[in-house]
Amino acid sequence: MAVLELSGVTKRFGGLTAVSDFNISIQEGELVGLIGPNGAGKTTVFNLITGMYAPTLGSIEFLGERIDGRKPYEIARRGIARTFQNLRLFKNLTALQNVAIARQLECRYSFFDAAFRTPVFKAEERRVLDDSRELLELVGLGDKAYERAKNLPYGYQRKLEIARALALNPKVLLLDEPAAGMNPEESLNLMDFIEDVQEKFGVTIFLIEHHMEVVMGICDRIVVLNFGCTIAEGTPLEIQEHEEVIKAYLGEVQNDDESHAQG
Amino acid sequence: MAYIQGVMIIICVNLMGVLGVSLLTGFTGMFSFGHAAYMALGAYTSAILVGRLGMPFVVGLLAAAAFAALASVIIGYPTVRLVGDYFAIAALGFGEATRLILDNGGSLTGGARGFVGVPKHTTLPIAILIVILGAILMRNIINSRFGRSFVAIREDKLAAEAMGINTARSRMLSLAISAAYAGVGGSMFAHYLTFLQPVMFDINKSTELAATVVFGGLGSMTGSIIACIILTSIPEIFRPFYLWRMVFYGLALVTTIVLRPQGLLGSFEITLEGTRRFLTAPFRRRVSAGGGARWQS
Ligand SMILES: Nc1ncnc2c1ncn2[C@@H]1O[C@H](COP(=O)(O)OP(=O)(O)OP(=O)(O)O)[C@@H](O)[C@H]1O
Ligand SMILES: [Mg+2]
């Protein structure tokens, strides 16, 4: 059974069709890439999956259940976690707090337990903080636990956002341009890191990238969007040789600098 | 002596309101210019239950908290989803509406002329006890998953939602807690003054609470507490200039915004642990030792 299945998903903003008749079926354990030029509709696909937008048409199923129309927090609780293209960390909080906020979803102690610091409260809090610390350790941020998110170097902030998403213990992890703003070497390191994460946590990953080369190495399968339409789908090799993809990307070469600045 | 005791009781009353507003504004990121209304609801609830129906003071206090919280849920349900300034405006409208209702409450509230004959129960030791208890409970809440959710919403509502936090519900909870604190403050006030008038809970009072929290530093409970003690006692010390009170608030606020936009303490907390480290290591890492530990773990 597919973990995530989008069928005929269309999203219009007024007269603009940001995503048109999008279909994909992602199997457990896959690492699927979503690429395409600026404004192709990639982030919109993520916003649709995570309930930030409701689709105009079509359906989204997670583990066989419809999730379109559900609230973002409900979808997150079911097991779909995401990162954001422009980093949305809790900036003034420490790395540990950032992770704990996602991690605490599993604690069930009551308001009364919290107000009077009952043994249940203490045990669950300890577990949340221990788990969070362990997670930071796993992603290589162990010694940064007490740094405020905004004071971390950019690359670490990217990793912290991934750690925060992993803290939800998700089945599916959506990564929106995790390598944005990184140089080619940093990007490649990050891709190794993502492969590593998939191995350690056994999550299914759906990954947006702007730059084709970066995802080629790690994705099982790649979907290419252009102006909201799916123009190609296949293995990295197939995509590399796909005529329309080459055209879409060649058409982009002239304004590539601009897209860098925006990323 | 009685006069100083009176000032200290008023500080305790204000502290309850300020603790509440601090949670809502400093920790959850929602501005409210209507919190005097929750104090008023608490004050009148308690005055009626204890003064008219002869119930014990404890019942009055608890009912004040419960009724203020209930009112906040009713008001909050349609308004917590409003973003930023719109919530503040809705809260302001609610505050004024409450005052008008009390003004026209007939024999139940005594109308604009006031509610007389509230039994005197709020002594200084009782007031201090309530405030200490209130502060401890507040600290515990902030250091829990509830407090972390509030702060997450303040930092980034969308990201909080994406991390599985039901932001509408969390904001409502924060509002209800803050209203309950203000309600308790109102009850203490009623049983100290023995006399209530709706005008005591007008927009000036609401602004005073919000201003105190900003003055102390958003996201710092200890900052709010210190600010409340300063801002409540100075106008009393300079009693002859009482008319200048609001001018003083304006000045204090403007000065803070200009010289120290983050408020007295910023978002730092003064904690026992932090103070200990500050005293034991005076020459080493002063700044971080002084406020290193925050109320959230
Ligand atoms: N909330 C919105 N309201 C109106 N238009 C929107 C909205 N969100 C996205 N769009 C439009 O939809 C189109 C697709 O945007 P989207 O952000 O999904 O692109 P993208 O593929 O992620 O691009 P990038 O590589 O720049 O991140 C763009 O034309 C964008 O302007
Ligand atoms: Mg995008």
Side-chain angles (χ1 to χ4, degrees):
Chain A
M1 186 181 56
V3 180
L4 192 62
E5 181 143 16
L6 282 74
S7 325
V9 172
T10 296
K11 179 65 188 175
R12 291 197 195 102
F13 296 107
L16 177 98
T17 305
V19 174
S20 153
D21 191 25
F22 186 79
N23 296 285
I24 195 169
S25 175
I26 299 179
Q27 307 300 315
E28 181 153 10
E30 267 194 300
L31 205 168
V32 179
L34 179 61
I35 65 172
N38 272 141
K42 306 180 293 292
T43 298
T44 305
V45 169
F46 275 18
N47 286 337
L48 288 163
I49 296 172
T50 53
M52 311 241 152
Y53 301 147
T56 313
L57 291 171
S59 71
I60 303 172
E61 282 181 17
F62 175 60
L63 299 171
E65 276 183 64
R66 287 280 293 258
I67 53 165
D68 48 283
R70 300 236 158 249
K71 299 245 168 57
Y73 76 87
E74 293 175 310
I75 292 171
R77 287 181 186 187
R78 281 175 184 229
I80 302 181
R82 72 174 291 178
T83 64
F84 295 89
Q85 184 169 353
N86 299 312
L87 280 174
R88 302 191 75 127
L89 286 166
F90 306 122
K91 292 194 197 69
N92 294 303
L93 308 186
T94 63
L96 183 63
Q97 287 171 326
N98 268 274
V99 175
I101 283 166
R103 191 68 218 163
Q104 71 185 17
L105 212 61
E106 280 178 17
C107 34
R108 289 271 67 100
Y109 62 76
S110 68
F111 188 73
F112 177 88
D113 287 319
F116 295 97
R117 297 178 73 82
T118 62
V120 179
F121 165 84
K122 285 184 180 158
E124 293 206 19
E125 273 295 304
R126 197 172 314 120
R127 201 167 43 104
V128 166
L129 294 177
D130 285 350
D131 287 358
S132 303
R133 255 181 235 112
E134 197 184 328
L135 190 59
L136 285 175
E137 210 67 66
L138 272 173
V139 299
L141 292 172
D143 55 336
K144 304 280 185 248
Y146 298 98
E147 298 260 357
R148 287 194 191 211
K150 65 175 177 193
N151 296 336
L152 290 174
Y154 182 75
Y156 283 4
Q157 293 194 23
R158 285 272 169 206
K159 278 192 178 177
L160 177 58
E161 222 195 12
I162 295 175
R164 184 180 69 174
L166 286 169
L168 284 173
N169 216 348
K171 296 215 171 50
V172 176
L173 182 59
L174 308 178
L175 302 173
D176 195 346
E177 300 203 25
M182 293 186 173
N183 65 35
E185 199 197 318
E186 289 171 324
S187 304
L188 290 176
N189 282 338
L190 190 80
M191 291 303 138
D192 286 343
F193 172 74
I194 290 169
E195 270 191 311
D196 207 41
V197 159
Q198 180 164 45
E199 218 165 274
K200 276 188 194 151
F201 294 86
V203 284
T204 306
I205 295 182
F206 196 16
L207 168 76
I208 292 181
E209 240 319 310
H210 187 73
H211 295 276
M212 220 177 0
E213 325 81 69
V214 184
V215 280
M216 285 302 162
I218 63 166
C219 290
D220 303 314
R221 202 148 55 91
I222 291 175
V223 180
V224 189
L225 275 184
N226 196 19
F227 295 115
C229 299
T230 310
I231 56 169
E233 186 183 344
T235 63
L237 263 174
E238 288 165 358
I239 294 300
Q240 254 167 328
E241 282 158 13
H242 200 285
E243 224 171 281
E244 262 197 83
V245 177
I246 296 167
K247 237 196 295 174
Y249 270 85
L250 280 181
E252 243 237 325
V253 168
Q254 299 97 308
N255 52 24
D256 203 42
D257 283 344
E258 189 189 328
S259 65
H260 258 295
Q262 197 209 26
Chain B
M1 207 50 215
Y3 172 67
I4 290 175
Q5 280 200 4
V7 174
M8 287 170 78
I9 289 176
I10 294 300
I11 289 176
C12 291
V13 166
N14 286 343
L15 273 173
M16 290 308 286
V18 165
L19 283 172
V21 176
S22 188
L23 180 75
L24 187 73
T25 308
F27 288 83
T28 323
M30 301 158 79
F31 277 88
S32 163
F33 293 104
H35 255 58
Y38 297 116
M39 283 192 129
L41 291 176
Y44 278 85
T45 302
S46 195
I48 292 167
L49 290 181
V50 181
R52 296 274 192 274
L53 304 177
M55 293 189 182
F57 180 40
V58 193
V59 175
L61 279 170
L62 294 176
F67 191 65
L70 179 72
S72 79
V73 169
I74 293 167
I75 295 305
Y77 194 77
T79 59
V80 289
R81 282 172 188 80
L82 298 175
V83 287
D85 304 340
Y86 294 101
F87 173 80
I89 291 165
L92 191 149
F94 161 69
E96 285 302 278
T98 305
R99 193 174 58 78
L100 286 175
I101 289 169
L102 293 174
D103 257 342
N104 297 292
S107 58
L108 187 65
T109 68
R113 270 175 299 132
F115 188 119
V116 289
V118 187
K120 186 149 188 153
H121 285 303
T122 310
T123 60
L124 186 56
I126 288 180
I128 290 176
L129 189 76
I130 294 172
V131 165
I132 289 177
L133 202 68
I136 290 173
L137 290 182
M138 186 62 88
R139 185 203 58 188
N140 294 352
I141 292 164
I142 288 170
N143 283 329
S144 73
R145 69 180 170 104
F146 301 99
R148 271 197 300 266
S149 298
F150 298 158
V151 176
I153 292 168
R154 177 195 73 195
E155 291 290 305
D156 190 325
K157 187 155 165 278
L158 190 75
E161 187 93 15
M163 292 306 123
I165 295 171
N166 183 344
T167 55
R169 203 174 133 181
S170 280
R171 291 174 77 160
M172 193 107 105
L173 179 65
S174 175
L175 177 64
I177 298 167
S178 77
Y181 270 71
V184 169
S187 167
M188 289 158 69
F189 183 67
H191 295 284
Y192 163 66
L193 215 62
T194 71
F195 165 73
L196 293 173
Q197 256 184 326
V199 71
M200 294 164 175
F201 307 99
D202 63 359
I203 183 158
N204 287 338
K205 185 72 193 171
S206 291
T207 315
E208 191 183 306
L209 294 173
T212 306
V213 170
V214 173
F215 186 74
L218 293 176
S220 169
M221 272 298 160
T222 39
S224 299
I225 292 170
I226 293 169
C228 181
I229 295 170
I230 295 175
L231 291 182
T232 310
S233 48
I234 286 181
E236 297 295 337
I237 293 166
F238 297 103
R239 193 94 199 164
F241 312 109
Y242 188 76
L243 277 177
W244 292 85
R245 189 180 150 92
M246 286 321 283
V247 174
F248 174 80
Y249 272 113
L251 267 182
L253 266 192
V254 170
T255 316
T256 327
I257 289 164
V258 172
L259 296 181
R260 206 172 152 73
Q262 69 274 47
L264 285 182
L265 291 195
S267 64
F268 284 116
E269 295 288 8
I270 297 172
T271 59
L272 287 178
E273 172 64 9
T275 313
R276 192 184 58 75
R277 269 190 292 162
F278 183 77
L279 294 176
T280 51
F283 303 108
R284 187 163 47 89
R285 300 178 58 210
R286 266 216 121 118
V287 178
S288 67
R294 303 185 61 187
W295 271 21
Q296 314 120 34
S297 47

